[in-house]
Amino acid sequence: MAWIVFALSLLVAAALLIVPGHLLVSAFGVRLAASLSLSPVVSVALYSVLAIVYGLFGIIASPATLFLPIVIAGLALHLVLGRRRRVGQTALLDVSEELSGEVWGNSKIATWPVISIGAALLSALLVAVFVFLCNVGSPDTFLNNYDIAFHLSRVREFMDGGNYSSLAGGFYPSAWHCVAAMVCSVTGCSVPSAVLSSITAFVVLVFPLGTYYFLATLFPDKPRRVFLGCLFCLCIAFFPWRIMLFGPLYPNVASFSLMPAVAALFIRLFGPREQGEGRALCAVLFVLGGISLTLAQPNTVFFAALYLVPYCMYRIGAAVSGSAFARGRRWPGVAFAIAFLAVFVVAWAAVLSTPYMEPLVAYERATPVGVTKAINRLLTFQFVIWRPQYLLFLVTAVGGLALLLKGRSRWALVSYGVLGAVYVVSISVGGPIRGYISGFCYNDYYRTAAAVCAFATPLVASGLDCIVGGVQKAVSAVVKRAGRGEAVLTRAAMAASVTAIALIVGFNYFPLFDIPRFASWGFDAVAFEVRESYTNEGNHYFRQDESDFADRAREIVGESLVVNQPYDGSVFSYACNDLHVLFSAFGPVTDEDERLVMSGLNRVSTDPLVREAVERLGVSYVIQLDQGSGPMGMNPSGTTYDLGYEAKEWSGINDIRDDTPGFTLLLSEGDMRLYQIDR
């Protein structure tokens, strides 16, 4: 039953992400392939902006107040624009006509956009199912990690308070939380299930669609290359699964999923004039894309900027060199391109030197490997998994060579190298230099590795295209030499292509045999880590019996605020059991009253300062899920989370016992207690 609800939630998430944006974009005459690809960017941006506006004016946010206004606006635009939207003013955004070419007898149904999008969605779904979803155990379970407590609680807060704004409680990019809260409200599923289904929708829907549009933008005259890139859009074991275990970095997963489509809009906006009209609409969509990235996770804006700098230099150089000013000389274009790079570097350093960015730039993080090993991990796509994907290295090497030797998209190779260098620095280089290169994302090599993966598809697609093309030419030469007819030649070439693709799929995803140091076990390693993280009880700090106890406590306390010690697992009871605990997330506590309660609540009957703090906070109850004594101040055999935990900071809650003055025992089971604070 839980998986049926999950499937329904996944469909709801897909509808929320696709329908509003598609209605708005298609109203201007943008064809289906492009409007579907761009719709999540538009939907996420408008949801996020509307939520902020509602929050500022005290308007209750809900799926109805967020979804329906955008849908109504889209339908109204269709009615107002009518046939005028078909006059071709949006050719700049379209990809259907560009990806021309014969597919299976030039079928009107099986066009390149159709099969490319179908391949992207199907392959992403299959990888997600077999690598991720099959290994989580239940959609209602969740990682018991540091960041997840905040994410789960924020989704619950959105639904409880009706404020889905990224500004709620101080700025935190909450575009994905907004979608998750809408899914939870519509389907009535548990918060963990809504979180899992919504982030899965970004992975299996938003990223593949954006990847298709990105590849179609880079290679408009190479439909086979676009198709192959779509088929292998999630061919790297690290992304996005590993950053869904670290943290988990769900906002970054959502933002990285949006990033390829936004990058494609930028490329089209500033591309050659012969790409078509509709630049105003393209500019609007790009602005919406920037909003969606910023309100999903701002560090993605920095990654996109780094990736697009070589493209800007390429376009500036081409434009200046082709102008009357240059008079056929190349050096003016090169000079202007270098000048742009210098301005960008100065602006980059200035932004990272601002007080707002200083904590990120100065964030201390270990450098586990040296530069040489970091480069090796980059080239073989190990990153943090320590499982090389040698075949993928070969494919990308071929693709990189193909981009270098010919094609107008050779700048993409430089861009990929830039992101690769950022990853190498983030994982292997210490000191201030790292802060100015990767400090915008806390010097986190998980995030920098994910950015590399998100933009690896041009190299993967080019390499696969060259390999398949080479196989076809070799087979065709053999068939021709044998004197066979054209029909035999076509069938043989097709069979050879399918065989080559099947072998690459098999060896990349499912190695059939073990060649020492050459087998690609990356996906096996990630699947194992998913199983361990989700299903191993030793990694769970909020057991089922504790959740049941929290449910019983909720029946007693109702909506009252309950003091808790979050590291005993009660931090998750707000999101999972709707128990209104004082500490619903990990992290440093700055409120003086809360800190006084943490260290001195057990003295509430004798310390007037503690009593006053309790009154100001409005707390009436105390819950403990691992009562006892030990080095951590809790039951040594209990289930406690120790990352960032300092026992002395929480002694005021940990030291409460059944006979502590000022408390009345209401519920007891094993090492779990619920007390009422005496008035």
Side-chain angles (χ1 to χ4, degrees):
M1 185 62 184
W3 282 110
I4 295 176
V5 175
F6 171 83
L8 176 62
S9 299
L10 184 59
L11 291 175
V12 169
L16 290 171
L17 290 167
I18 294 295
V19 174
H22 170 63
L23 285 174
L24 286 172
V25 176
S26 62
F28 291 93
V30 179
R31 293 180 178 86
L32 183 63
S35 65
L36 284 178
S37 302
L38 298 173
S39 55
V41 170
V42 176
S43 298
V44 169
L46 294 181
Y47 288 148
S48 304
V49 171
L50 270 180
I52 291 174
V53 172
Y54 289 167
L56 293 175
F57 288 93
I59 302 172
I60 298 297
S62 68
T65 58
L66 291 171
F67 178 78
L68 290 180
I70 306 174
V71 169
I72 292 171
L75 294 173
L77 278 175
H78 274 275
L79 291 174
V80 171
L81 296 178
R83 294 182 60 85
R84 285 179 294 172
R85 68 181 184 270
R86 303 297 181 189
V87 296
Q89 294 300 309
T90 55
L92 180 66
L93 294 163
D94 276 323
V95 290
S96 299
E97 296 299 326
E98 296 172 354
L99 290 178
S100 58
E102 185 173 298
V103 184
W104 299 328
N106 202 24
S107 166
K108 293 183 178 180
I109 298 177
T111 61
W112 279 114
V114 170
I115 67 168
S116 296
I117 289 178
L121 296 176
L122 180 61
S123 63
L125 180 61
L126 290 175
V127 173
V129 167
F130 289 106
V131 175
F132 186 65
L133 296 178
C134 282
N135 296 298
V136 300
S138 166
D140 292 321
T141 191
F142 56 92
L143 292 174
N144 286 195
N145 284 359
Y146 194 88
D147 291 5
I148 193 62
F150 172 81
H151 296 319
L152 292 173
S153 294
R154 192 158 180 85
V155 172
R156 173 69 74 179
E157 286 171 0
F158 279 7
M159 294 188 297
D160 285 352
N163 185 354
Y164 291 17
S165 171
S166 293
L167 303 181
F171 176 72
Y172 189 89
S174 299
W176 163 71
H177 300 87
C178 179
V179 175
M182 293 169 71
V183 170
C184 196
S185 296
V186 171
T187 64
C189 65
S190 67
V191 172
S193 184
V195 164
L196 189 67
S197 59
S198 59
I199 202 63
T200 301
F202 274 92
V203 172
V204 305
L205 183 70
V206 178
F207 182 72
L209 287 173
T211 297
Y212 160 74
Y213 194 71
F214 180 60
L215 291 173
T217 298
L218 292 183
F219 311 117
D221 55 343
K222 298 184 182 299
R224 185 180 66 191
R225 182 171 296 186
V226 174
F227 165 74
L228 291 171
C230 289
L231 186 63
F232 284 80
C233 64
L234 287 181
C235 62
I236 303 174
F238 175 86
F239 180 79
W241 322 113
R242 200 55 186 77
I243 62 172
M244 292 170 68
L245 299 179
F246 175 74
L249 303 177
Y250 288 148
N252 253 124
V253 173
S255 196
F256 282 138
S257 299
L258 293 161
M259 190 166 59
V262 179
L265 284 169
F266 183 89
I267 294 167
R268 287 177 175 272
L269 180 60
F270 294 100
R273 287 289 174 183
E274 59 266 26
Q275 282 190 356
E277 299 299 327
R279 291 187 184 275
L281 178 60
C282 188
V284 170
L285 291 175
F286 174 68
V287 170
L288 289 175
I291 293 172
S292 68
L293 293 186
T294 302
L295 296 179
Q297 179 47 260
N299 61 49
T300 321
V301 176
F302 288 84
F303 283 118
L306 285 172
Y307 185 81
L308 291 169
V309 163
Y311 173 74
C312 292
M313 296 177 65
Y314 158 68
R315 289 298 309 137
I316 290 171
V320 173
S321 297
S323 67
F325 168 77
R327 297 180 181 179
R329 296 169 296 181
R330 189 176 180 182
W331 69 262
V334 175
F336 272 84
I338 294 175
F340 169 82
L341 177 61
V343 171
F344 177 84
V345 170
V346 171
W348 180 274
V351 170
L352 291 183
S353 299
T354 59
Y356 177 78
M357 298 295 294
E358 183 178 357
L360 283 72
V361 173
Y363 193 87
E364 287 294 330
R365 199 178 293 273
T367 52
V369 298
V371 174
T372 302
K373 285 189 176 180
I375 294 174
N376 176 56
R377 290 190 180 187
L378 169 69
L379 295 177
T380 57
F381 300 97
Q382 297 180 71
F383 301 114
V384 301
I385 301 176
W386 304 350
R387 297 292 190 277
Q389 292 183 259
Y390 287 114
L391 178 61
L392 199 57
F393 162 66
L394 175 63
V395 169
T396 53
V398 172
L401 185 61
L403 290 177
L404 182 64
L405 294 179
K406 58 181 179 179
R408 63 185 183 185
S409 297
R410 58 170 58 95
W411 61 265
L413 177 61
V414 180
S415 295
Y416 183 76
V418 169
L419 292 183
V422 173
Y423 161 76
V424 170
V425 170
S426 67
I427 197 173
S428 64
V429 178
I433 184 65
R434 179 173 66 166
Y436 279 95
I437 293 177
S438 61
F440 63 91
C441 63
Y442 293 99
N443 298 307
D444 178 15
Y445 44 84
Y446 282 81
R447 289 180 173 95
T448 56
V452 171
C453 298
F455 282 123
T457 47
L459 275 73
V460 173
S462 299
L464 291 169
D465 188 36
C466 290
I467 292 172
V468 170
V471 169
Q472 285 187 344
K473 288 180 180 179
V475 171
S476 297
V478 172
V479 172
K480 285 182 179 179
R481 212 174 282 122
R484 299 301 181 95
E486 190 68 26
V488 175
L489 189 150
T490 301
R491 287 196 295 269
M494 177 62 72
S497 300
V498 171
T499 302
I501 294 171
L503 288 173
I504 295 173
V505 167
F507 197 78
N508 188 66
Y509 294 99
F510 313 104
L512 303 178
F513 46 86
D514 184 12
I515 304 177
R517 292 188 57 79
F518 285 92
S520 175
W521 294 104
F523 286 94
D524 295 332
V526 172
F528 172 78
E529 290 188 32
V530 172
R531 284 193 300 275
E532 279 292 294
S533 300
Y534 275 89
T535 63
N536 188 335
E537 288 298 321
N539 295 323
H540 286 219
Y541 313 106
F542 188 52
R543 303 184 309 258
Q544 185 58 50
D545 62 330
E546 294 176 330
S547 179
D548 294 339
F549 185 84
D551 282 333
R552 292 194 293 275
R554 177 66 169 80
E555 294 175 359
I556 295 173
V557 306
E559 300 288 334
S560 299
L561 190 60
V562 181
V563 176
N564 68 307
Q565 198 274 77
Y567 293 89
D568 64 6
S570 59
V571 68
F572 301 113
S573 61
Y574 173 53
C576 298
N577 311 95
D578 200 22
L579 184 67
H580 292 225
V581 292
L582 181 61
F583 302 105
S584 59
F586 297 115
V589 178
T590 58
D591 184 88
E592 290 301 322
D593 286 339
E594 292 179 353
R595 292 193 64 82
L596 192 56
V597 166
M598 289 164 53
S599 61
L601 182 60
N602 59 322
R603 305 190 307 271
V604 69
S605 64
T606 59
D607 191 332
L609 293 178
V610 175
R611 169 69 66 176
E612 291 171 5
V614 167
E615 293 294 336
R616 283 191 295 268
L617 290 172
V619 293
S620 303
Y621 301 90
V622 180
I623 190 170
Q624 296 175 330
L625 297 183
D626 290 300
Q627 188 188 84
S629 60
M632 298 183 68
M634 291 179 279
N635 182 2
S637 61
T639 53
T640 59
Y641 186 72
D642 61 0
L643 180 61
Y645 174 70
E646 294 289 341
K648 61 182 179 180
E649 293 182 352
W650 299 94
S651 59
I653 302 172
N654 289 340
D655 292 347
I656 296 173
R657 295 294 183 267
D658 296 355
D659 57 354
T660 302
F663 301 91
T664 299
L665 179 65
L666 299 179
L667 199 60
S668 173
E669 181 183 329
D671 60 355
M672 298 175 285
R673 299 288 189 275
L674 175 68
Y675 299 100
Q676 184 172 20
I677 302 175
D678 296 338
R679 296 298 183 184

